[in-house]
Amino acid sequence: MTAADEVIGRIRFSDAGLVPAVIQQWDSREVLMMGWMDAEAVRRTLTEGRVTFWSRSRREYWRKGDTSGHVQYVKGAALDCDGDTLLVTVEQIGAACHTGTRTCFDADVLEPVVADSEGARLAAEMGSDL
């Protein structure tokens, strides 16, 4: 069994056979994008050193950068505690988003939530600093 097979065996794929993969710049920790992977896309990502996704709309594999030149070189990968989300750290060359921006997460859409006094009190009691 290869190291990639061991990781794939630990992943809790959805009923559709997919796992969300969050892509993060390895040194700055900037979140770049999210895509879907099936077991084969995970295997390719871990063994080839380039991020490969499964396109749900086109129903085919796509390796980031093959057409755009905006390549993602894999630096590392980790599963979350539930095994149902993959975090892939990369060296991003060029834009990560299909719109041409560095990251897909560049639009703030929510105002920060300010804890009310009761929430702040509960957080303080629990040792959290909301």
Side-chain angles (χ1 to χ4, degrees), residues 5-60:
D5 291 329
E6 190 275 327
V7 171
I8 292 166
R10 292 175 39 211
I11 296 174
R12 290 182 41 213
F13 292 96
S14 70
D15 291 342
L18 301 173
V19 63
V22 177
I23 310 301
Q24 181 182 50
Q25 176 65 32
W26 75 276
D27 53 357
S28 70
R29 300 297 186 211
E30 176 183 29
V31 176
L32 300 171
M33 61 176 291
M34 190 285 285
W36 296 97
M37 293 183 182
D38 66 1
E40 180 60 24
V42 172
R43 182 181 329 284
R44 292 180 187 187
T45 297
L46 297 179
T47 61
E48 296 175 3
R50 296 259 317 268
V51 178
T52 298
F53 297 101
W54 172 253
S55 171
R56 296 175 300 162
S57 59
R58 295 188 312 264
R59 307 211 35 87
E60 65 185 16

Side-chain angles (χ1 to χ4, degrees), residues 87-103:
L87 175 66
V88 182
T89 53
V90 302
E91 176 67 37
Q92 177 68 50
I93 307 301
C97 187
H98 71 280
T99 64
T101 58
R102 169 83 180 155
T103 172

